[in-house]
Amino acid sequence: MVKAFFCLLLLAVFTVGKTDADFFDTASVLGNHFQSATLDLSGKNTINNNSLGFLFNTPGILPGGFDARALRLKNDGAKQNVLLNYNYLSGGQDFCQALRLKILKNWQIISEGSLSDLNLNFTLDANGVEDFIFVLSLENNDSGLKGKTCKFNFLFQTNKEKAAGLWDEEILDNEITSGL
């Protein structure tokens, strides 16, 4: 009798009141393509290919004076769209606005105007190298600009062509003082 009871108890445990809750979900989206890429932009010195932390460090610029610097942008990744902007940091804003900037790429002028208005878009090919010449000048002889300083950055921002969310940036510091 005890054996029969025990058998009935085992049978009840394995067949009655058992709950199972498994969740499975599957989603399929056809036509998606994933591609990995490297986005790495670097500013280099054209003389020795060393990395640059600043471009202009110009003391005592006079009216009619200019300073020219070369920059090699090396793209160590996929084709990129590049946005180059001026970013004011400190100093006399009137002096910064009086500075003029000309940018050449492959010996062609690609931007010319007030430094503070710089907003330039261009493309760098995959694993490409481009050389640029930046010419900064002071054409204004206003005595109110005497002894002023302009600290700013050139901000290069990139993103892979036709891809959202992937980006890189390079920041080059600059400091110009007037010698009026």
Side-chain angles (χ1 to χ4, degrees), residues 87-167:
N87 181 32
Y88 169 81
L89 296 176
S90 66
Q93 285 191 344
D94 56 341
F95 177 54
C96 293
Q97 290 172 352
L99 294 170
R100 308 267 311 154
L101 180 66
K102 185 183 294 186
I103 302 174
L104 293 87
K105 176 182 170 190
N106 299 325
W107 299 105
Q108 300 295 316
I109 296 172
I110 60 170
S111 179
E112 185 172 17
S114 172
L115 169 66
S116 58
D117 292 336
L118 178 62
N119 185 4
L120 178 64
N121 288 291
F122 57 92
T123 301
L124 284 177
D125 290 330
N127 298 310
V129 173
E130 295 283 353
D131 291 331
F132 295 83
I133 298 172
F134 288 70
V135 180
L136 192 69
S137 63
L138 178 61
E139 298 170 5
N140 188 329
N141 61 3
D142 182 352
S143 63
L145 301 177
K146 183 178 183 178
K148 294 212 174 176
T149 299
C150 179
K151 291 184 182 181
F152 63 95
N153 289 331
F154 285 127
L155 178 60
F156 296 84
Q157 296 174 310
T158 66
N159 65 306
K160 184 178 179 297
E161 193 171 78
K162 298 181 182 175
L166 299 175
W167 60 275

Side-chain angles (χ1 to χ4, degrees), residues 3 5 36-38 56 65 71 76 79-80 92 98 101 103 112 114 118 123-124 126 130 135 153 156 171 177 180:
K3 263 187 172 182
F5 181 132
S36 66
T38 300
F56 288 101
L71 169 69
D76 294 320
K79 184 175 183 177
Q80 299 179 51
L101 180 66
I103 302 174
E112 185 172 17
S114 172
L118 178 62
T123 301
L124 284 177
E130 295 283 353
V135 180
N153 289 331
F156 296 84
I171 299 172
T177 57
L180 292 174

Side-chain angles (χ1 to χ4, degrees), residues 7 32 34 84 86 94 100 130 148 152 158 174-175:
C7 286
N32 281 342
F34 294 95
L84 170 57
Y86 155 86
D94 56 341
R100 308 267 311 154
E130 295 283 353
K148 294 212 174 176
F152 63 95
T158 66
N174 302 274
E175 183 172 347

